[in-house]
Amino acid sequence: MDLPPHLIELDGLALRRFDSERDLPELFRVIEESLEHLRPWMPWAAEHSMAGTSRFLAKRAERWASGQEFTYAIVLDGAIVGACGLFRRGAAPENGREIGYWLHPAATGRGLVTRSVRALTELAFRIPGVDHVEIVHDVANTASGAVPARLGFTEHLRRPSASLAPADSGEDRVWRLTRDRARNPADAGPC
């Protein structure tokens, strides 16, 4: 498999592969500034530390090289404002990938995640054998759910989940977009 590009430029917005040493101070600061925004939904935010951020970044190169996970910094005007990733979770089928994302609260409401997710979806469908992409979030996290709805994903299922973050309801909503629907946007609903 050809690995994806390290940089995806999106007309004023960029998705850039993380550089563990260079990005550590800035990513740590962005997470620090975003903790109140992230804590309700992201279990890892409760354990946020410089060491934890360093470990996270240190694992990115290995996961990228293995094709398991492609994590990007979301960069606006030269500054990291969040992160997004395309990955295969645990025992998930080989023909599917999942997309995750988060933003600094000052960067929300401008379509940055929608544009990032659109780019990662296109990237996923360039991976041989991948026929669907999913986005999973707690049903109570309506802001996260607005992104796949805008991009033509449809609700695939709801399933019980462990409540790991303070606002978790214990139910996940799984959105799915198939390669066929992505090729036929008129069938995929509004973007």
Side-chain angles (χ1 to χ4, degrees):
M1 173 188 84
D2 291 334
L3 295 176
H6 290 207
L7 178 67
I8 301 171
E9 296 190 42
L10 303 170
D11 190 30
L13 176 69
L15 304 182
R16 177 180 53 75
R17 181 178 167 181
F18 278 109
D19 176 330
S20 60
E21 290 180 30
R22 184 182 75 183
D23 289 332
L24 177 59
E26 185 177 8
L27 180 60
F28 178 79
R29 179 189 52 76
V30 171
I31 294 170
E32 279 283 302
E33 293 174 1
S34 304
L35 281 176
E36 292 309 308
H37 177 71
L38 296 173
R39 239 184 226 117
W41 309 111
M42 304 291 189
W44 54 264
E47 304 292 324
H48 173 63
S49 67
M50 181 64 83
T53 304
S54 180
R55 283 190 301 276
F56 168 81
L57 288 172
K59 292 178 184 177
R60 296 312 99 199
E62 177 186 325
R63 291 179 184 224
W64 189 287
S66 74
Q68 179 183 3
E69 181 177 326
F70 307 110
T71 306
Y72 290 92
I74 301 173
V75 179
L76 182 65
D77 298 327
I80 295 173
V81 295
C84 60
L86 176 65
F87 53 92
R88 184 170 160 255
R89 190 181 302 266
E94 186 65 36
N95 64 331
R97 294 295 182 276
E98 187 174 326
I99 294 175
Y101 43 84
W102 64 267
L103 276 180
H104 187 288
T108 62
R110 297 192 268 172
L112 304 178
V113 165
T114 301
R115 290 168 57 202
S116 299
V117 169
R118 181 180 290 122
L120 290 182
T121 301
E122 291 169 3
L123 179 67
F125 289 134
R126 290 196 300 267
I127 299 171
V130 171
D131 66 13
H132 69 273
V133 177
E134 294 182 339
I135 293 174
V136 180
H137 65 87
D138 190 273
V139 295
N141 188 345
T142 57
S144 282
V147 174
R150 275 194 292 274
L151 292 172
F153 284 66
T154 56
E155 185 173 330
H156 176 62
L157 61 92
R158 291 184 184 214
R159 64 182 181 214
S161 66
S163 294
L164 301 175
D168 281 351
S169 69
E171 184 178 22
D172 279 342
R173 186 173 189 185
V174 180
W175 296 82
R176 182 177 277 190
L177 182 66
T178 63
R179 180 185 298 270
D180 291 341
R181 284 182 62 107
R183 284 188 185 145
N184 299 306
D187 298 335
C191 287

